[in-house]
Amino acid sequence: KLDAMENPYRWPEDVVDHWLETLRSCELNRYPDPEAKRLTSTLRRLNRLSENIDLLLGNGSDEIIQMLLMALPAGSSVVSPDPSFVMYRQIAHSLGLDYHGIGLDDAFQLDMPSMRRALRDCRPALIFLAFPNNPTGNLFRREDILELLEIAPGLVILDEAYAPFADDTFMNSLEEHANLLVMRTVSKLGLAGLRLGYIAGDKQIIGHLNKIRLPYNINILTQASAEFALNRKNLFDEQIEKIRSERSRLLETMNELEGVAPFPSAANFILFQCMTRPAQEIFDFLLKRGILIKNLSSQKGLPANCLRVTVGKPEENQAFLDALRQILTA
Ligand SMILES: *Cc1c(COP(=O)(O)O)cnc(C)c1O
């Protein structure tokens, strides 16, 4: 299963036992802490947030995207690069907002002339920037983001879902930009099943967002489990290190294969273009061999015939590479 950017690793048995032991004390007959105070303070500490910055938790960052968009006045404009994470567009449309997707340049960087024009003409209340971007895998140029922060008429949301795999972040720039919010999730880190995302930023803005948050959006099992897991950082450090090193190996090997062109990635997936055969044919061939990746050949704004593979365990990646080599040389 190499289609959804999940961390492929489970926990050692003794850690699972310890985790189950902590769940024993959860009172399922009681409502959870509506403010998830303990978990919030753990996340504050791990992200080294200062006093002036507040944090809001969501049922996945998907719910936070929904809260951000629900907080906007009717008729507001929303801008994000395109292609990017599909939920920005989907939720904006479902709320009847005026969404504008702005194409990327050939290197998947922000097309700054078009972005400047969109900001001037649409006056977006909100700009979403996935950093690194999904599905392209790259980080946008820092100076471009800094310029957008300067000229944006509203809020800029940096979606750092792939932060564990990237070497740059805006989490420690929050105090320099009052209109910047940084959003993260534990999903790609290795806890996709828990549904926990968070967003950090200016106290007043987070306070407004908090008004539309449903009181018990983080359930008691998620609060307890995330607290347990995040206090064992070394558990993830090893896994993330393995995923990062497998990412390099996948990229190198794919670069040597005739017939595919992989794009560099700062995330836990690799986008690649199929040069000699239709992407659908390669996707189907892999699927028949039990390997599920993501077919992006009908995604607007990407080069033709693109597929996306999530970095899995070494043996999963090897099975993927073997099958890919097989169809490309058939
Ligand atoms: C996967 C992904 C998310 C979703 O995160 P959840 O916390 O699982 O809802 C958000 N943003 C981007 C860019 C993603 O790729």
Side-chain angles (χ1 to χ4, degrees):
K1 189 175 185 310
L2 302 177
D3 66 323
M5 283 76 95
E6 291 147 332
N7 175 332
Y9 297 105
R10 302 193 57 174
W11 297 342
E13 276 309 310
D14 59 317
V15 178
V16 172
D17 288 343
H18 194 172
W19 165 58
L20 291 173
E21 200 49 49
T22 64
L23 292 188
R24 200 178 289 279
S25 62
C26 286
E27 294 187 280
L28 296 185
N29 54 319
R30 305 290 180 196
Y31 282 104
D33 173 2
E35 272 122 39
K37 285 186 283 296
R38 187 144 175 236
L39 178 55
T40 302
S41 100
T42 298
L43 287 168
R44 292 192 69 96
R45 177 169 51 78
L46 292 173
N47 288 284
R48 298 193 183 82
L49 297 182
S50 78
E51 292 288 294
N52 309 321
I53 300 300
D54 255 352
L55 198 58
L56 177 111
L57 276 47
N59 190 331
S61 26
D62 287 350
E63 193 201 19
I64 298 175
I65 296 167
Q66 187 183 49
M67 282 190 254
L68 285 162
L69 292 171
M70 278 174 27
L72 300 182
S76 296
S77 286
V78 177
V79 160
S80 95
D82 185 36
S84 190
F85 188 47
V86 290
M87 297 310 285
Y88 311 147
R89 173 200 300 271
Q90 194 173 311
I91 300 174
H93 277 162
S94 75
L95 291 169
L97 295 165
D98 180 31
Y99 175 87
H100 299 266
I102 310 299
L104 297 169
D105 73 11
D106 289 345
F108 299 148
Q109 285 295 328
L110 295 170
D111 174 353
M112 287 305 284
S114 303
M115 289 298 283
R116 289 183 198 109
R117 204 172 317 120
L119 264 54
R120 193 187 60 221
D121 297 347
C122 312
R123 310 300 295 160
L126 217 65
I127 303 171
F128 285 108
L129 300 172
F131 186 76
N133 191 37
N134 172 12
T136 55
N138 60 304
L139 291 164
F140 297 132
R141 272 186 297 266
R142 204 173 169 92
E143 65 260 35
D144 289 346
I145 295 177
L146 290 172
E147 181 185 337
L148 292 179
L149 282 164
E150 284 300 314
I151 63 174
L155 301 179
V156 179
I157 316 299
L158 262 280
D159 179 350
E160 298 193 348
Y162 299 97
F165 312 100
D167 295 321
D168 201 5
T169 174
F170 278 81
M171 192 59 103
N172 31 41
S173 311
L174 283 166
E175 292 195 78
E176 291 145 49
H177 310 277
N179 60 342
L180 168 66
L181 297 169
V182 175
M183 182 166 69
R184 290 207 180 170
T185 173
V186 299
S187 294
K188 311 309 173 8
L189 177 69
L191 300 167
L194 282 187
R195 310 307 299 132
L196 177 69
Y198 52 97
I199 189 163
D202 176 82
K203 270 188 154 47
Q204 219 176 348
I205 296 167
I206 296 291
H208 287 314
L209 272 180
N210 213 6
K211 292 177 197 161
I212 56 162
R213 181 180 64 83
L214 294 177
Y216 306 113
N217 63 328
I218 312 299
N219 74 72
I220 206 165
L221 296 177
T222 296
Q223 290 190 29
S225 303
E227 174 70 22
F228 172 88
L230 293 172
N231 278 307
R232 282 161 186 75
K233 206 176 143 288
N234 56 345
L235 198 64
F236 297 105
D237 287 347
E238 264 173 54
Q239 299 179 347
I240 299 304
E241 212 28 66
K242 273 194 264 187
I243 293 168
R244 289 175 69 128
S245 104
E246 277 295 296
R247 172 180 70 194
S248 310
R249 185 176 76 95
L250 264 176
L251 203 56
E252 270 169 42
T253 315
M254 291 172 77
N255 257 320
E256 286 160 10
L257 283 179
E258 288 284 336
V260 289
F263 297 98
S265 169
N268 63 340
F269 59 84
I270 293 172
L271 180 76
F272 62 99
Q273 191 177 15
C274 308
M275 316 303 286
T276 50
R277 282 169 182 271
Q280 183 71 51
E281 201 179 305
I282 293 181
F283 176 84
D284 291 340
F285 181 88
L286 294 171
L287 192 58
K288 245 189 273 151
R289 275 150 194 78
I291 301 162
L292 176 64
I293 63 170
K294 179 82 176 171
N295 187 351
L296 293 170
S297 54
S298 57
Q299 171 107 40
K300 277 193 298 141
L302 283 181
N305 284 303
C306 275
L307 297 171
R308 184 189 69 198
V309 62
T310 300
V311 181
K313 293 180 184 170
E315 60 271 28
E316 296 171 330
N317 303 331
Q318 197 52 51
F320 161 76
L321 288 171
D322 292 345
L324 187 59
R325 183 175 287 116
Q326 203 182 338
I327 174 138
L328 291 174
T329 54

